[in-house]
Amino acid sequence: QVQLVESGGGSVQAGGSLRLSCAASGRNFSSYSMGWFRQAPGKEREFVAATAWSGYMTYYADSVRGRFTISRDNGKNTVDLQMNSLKPEDTAVYYCAARRAGEREFGSWGQGTQVTVSS
């Protein structure tokens, strides 16, 4: 398994931007699919975005498509989430996650980073 550490959270006004970064340690990072999830107070954790091992295939929740961009650098073992046009409803703790090749579930999770968007 890989170990994941997120950074880049913070507070921003609606319409602003933030960039989250996730650093992975461990072996064979490039064999993992990587994803971002979020959990708002009182709500269940939800999928935000994911990228396959190569970075060429990306997936987004409808709520963020066109505003968020996921990218990865297999040479640096990092995956980023660029968030633009932020809305108050994007406020949540954001988690980075990794899914090993051949597995169904994301098995490695970071500790989370808070994103707060004020109106």
Side-chain angles (χ1 to χ4, degrees):
Q1 297 287 355
V2 293
Q3 290 75 48
L4 306 172
V5 178
E6 302 98 335
S7 61
S11 297
V12 65
Q13 289 192 330
S17 298
L18 282 174
R19 188 176 184 89
L20 305 183
S21 186
C22 174
S25 59
R27 300 177 64 181
N28 301 320
F29 172 76
S30 61
S31 68
Y32 286 78
S33 295
M34 299 298 298
W36 286 94
F37 293 75
R38 67 186 181 187
Q39 187 167 20
K43 295 187 177 181
E44 294 187 354
R45 186 170 60 195
E46 65 175 2
F47 168 78
V48 175
T51 177
W53 68 271
S54 68
Y56 290 113
M57 297 296 292
T58 56
Y59 310 88
Y60 297 94
D62 289 343
S63 59
V64 307
R65 187 175 290 111
R67 300 188 297 122
F68 291 11
T69 302
I70 188 171
S71 61
R72 67 188 293 165
D73 186 332
N74 288 339
K76 296 181 179 179
N77 285 14
T78 58
V79 58
D80 292 349
L81 185 69
Q82 177 67 42
M83 305 185 295
N84 299 328
S85 302
L86 283 162
K87 305 175 180 179
E89 51 263 44
D90 294 319
T91 295
V93 177
Y94 283 71
Y95 297 91
C96 176
R99 183 177 65 194
R100 189 181 295 179
E103 294 187 351
R104 284 175 170 254
E105 303 294 331
F106 285 85
S108 298
W109 293 84
Q111 82 287 354
T113 185
Q114 177 70 46
V115 171
T116 302
V117 184
S118 58
S119 58

